Amino acid sequence: MDLNSDNKVMKLLQTLGEEFGVAAQDSMKFVNGNNSAGTRVRKSMQNIKGLAQQVRLEVQEQKNSVTA
């Protein structure tokens, strides 16, 4: 298995976690009445959705490239 591919999954997961942290901070601001933060939460959630899909595709690609 290619170590760079493993590293790509880990980088994507790290980015996903960072984006989730941003969304959590903005969601607190939204709850406290900042409507602009709600827009940022929605944007972050869309980014998270895309990152999750990238993780899924990369894991599937790595799984399929393993020779038995």
Side-chain angles (χ1 to χ4, degrees):
M1 187 178 298
D2 186 11
L3 191 55
N4 287 334
S5 295
D6 290 338
N7 204 5
K8 186 174 181 180
V9 172
M10 294 307 296
K11 285 180 183 178
L12 285 168
L13 288 172
Q14 182 178 3
T15 304
L16 190 91
E18 291 167 0
E19 190 70 37
F20 189 79
V22 169
Q25 290 176 347
D26 280 333
S27 68
M28 290 301 294
K29 292 176 185 177
F30 175 70
V31 168
N32 290 326
N34 184 337
N35 287 335
S36 295
T39 301
R40 292 191 301 271
V41 169
R42 290 186 9 250
K43 182 179 179 185
S44 289
M45 295 310 294
Q46 189 65 33
N47 291 341
I48 288 168
K49 179 181 174 184
L51 287 166
Q53 183 64 26
Q54 287 178 15
V55 170
R56 292 183 74 244
L57 292 173
E58 183 62 28
V59 168
Q60 186 67 36
E61 182 179 314
Q62 286 184 34
K63 186 179 108 178
N64 289 340
S65 70
V66 172
T67 55

